[in-house]
Amino acid sequence: MYLNELAQDLRPFDEGIAWFASLPEDEQTRTLRLLAGFCFQAHPTAEEAVESIRRSGLRPTHTPAVMLVRGRIEHQVGAIAGLTPRHERMKAFRLLIALLAIADGRRREGCRVVGCGHDWHRLTADREVGAGRRSGRDGDQGGGGEDGRPEGTGVDPGGAMAFPGEGVPAQ
């Protein structure tokens, strides 16, 4: 859920940047791949890709920004997640969070109109009623993982990634 909370401005972006920077290289790579998957599922448009570059604070000439606007976005997010130099991974994280914020924001708006079973689209509502994160154990239609958390919502299925606020201290 942590990545979704960053994308939905429910957590400070600077906190997310510091958290990502503190991860070892292999966990940064896994996080970027997970984030790329979220972006892929949100089906970003070309206009959203351009806006995400602006919102991320990257220059249009930075490698991840150039990659995003060249070719099919669905393919490019995976390539961006595979960037290996540390400074490029940091840029990739900023860009993919911005892309997820924009594209998934559009999808959340649609969910408000037609209804939605995605737990990560109800994070704001959960906070407003003080219910915390929905676990899938209260009759919710969204599928949950073995730990009661929705699958594919920012926590590594193996539980190896430590997200701030998830009960395991950040590394």
Side-chain angles (χ1 to χ4, degrees):
M1 288 278 186
Y2 187 70
L3 296 174
N4 286 294
E5 289 174 348
L6 285 171
Q8 293 178 36
D9 285 331
L10 298 174
R11 292 197 180 256
F13 189 65
D14 289 342
E15 173 187 301
I17 295 294
W19 166 78
F20 184 78
S22 74
L23 294 175
E25 183 178 331
D26 63 327
E27 289 189 32
Q28 283 185 353
T29 299
R30 283 190 290 174
T31 299
L32 288 173
R33 287 187 180 141
L34 185 64
L35 190 51
F38 292 167
C39 289
F40 179 83
Q41 290 174 350
H43 304 286
T45 66
E47 294 81 19
E48 291 167 342
V50 171
E51 174 60 16
S52 69
I53 294 167
R54 186 195 65 75
R55 196 178 289 186
S56 71
L58 297 182
R59 284 182 268 172
T61 56
H62 284 146
T63 300
V66 171
M67 291 172 70
L68 187 61
V69 296
R70 301 249 167 104
R72 296 187 58 182
I73 295 171
E74 295 84 6
H75 297 290
Q76 297 303 83
V77 294
I80 291 167
L83 290 171
T84 54
R86 185 170 184 81
H87 69 280
E88 296 295 349
R89 285 194 308 271
M90 294 302 298
K91 293 175 192 172
F93 182 76
R94 296 179 71 89
L95 182 60
L96 293 178
I97 285 289
L99 183 61
L100 180 62
I102 295 166
D104 200 52
R106 171 185 37 82
R107 292 187 56 144
R108 282 192 314 279
E109 284 301 315
C111 284
R112 287 188 182 113
V113 173
V114 298
C116 178
H118 297 125
D119 289 335
W120 58 92
H121 286 164
R122 291 191 298 271
L123 294 176
T124 304
D126 286 349
R127 283 183 176 218
E128 288 172 0
V129 298
R133 288 163 195 77
R134 298 175 65 85
S135 66
R137 292 178 284 219
D138 60 355
D140 179 55
Q141 297 293 7
E146 290 179 6
D147 64 357
R149 295 179 180 164
E151 295 181 56
T153 54
V155 177
D156 180 54
M161 298 186 80
F163 293 98
E166 292 288 337
V168 179
Q171 298 175 339

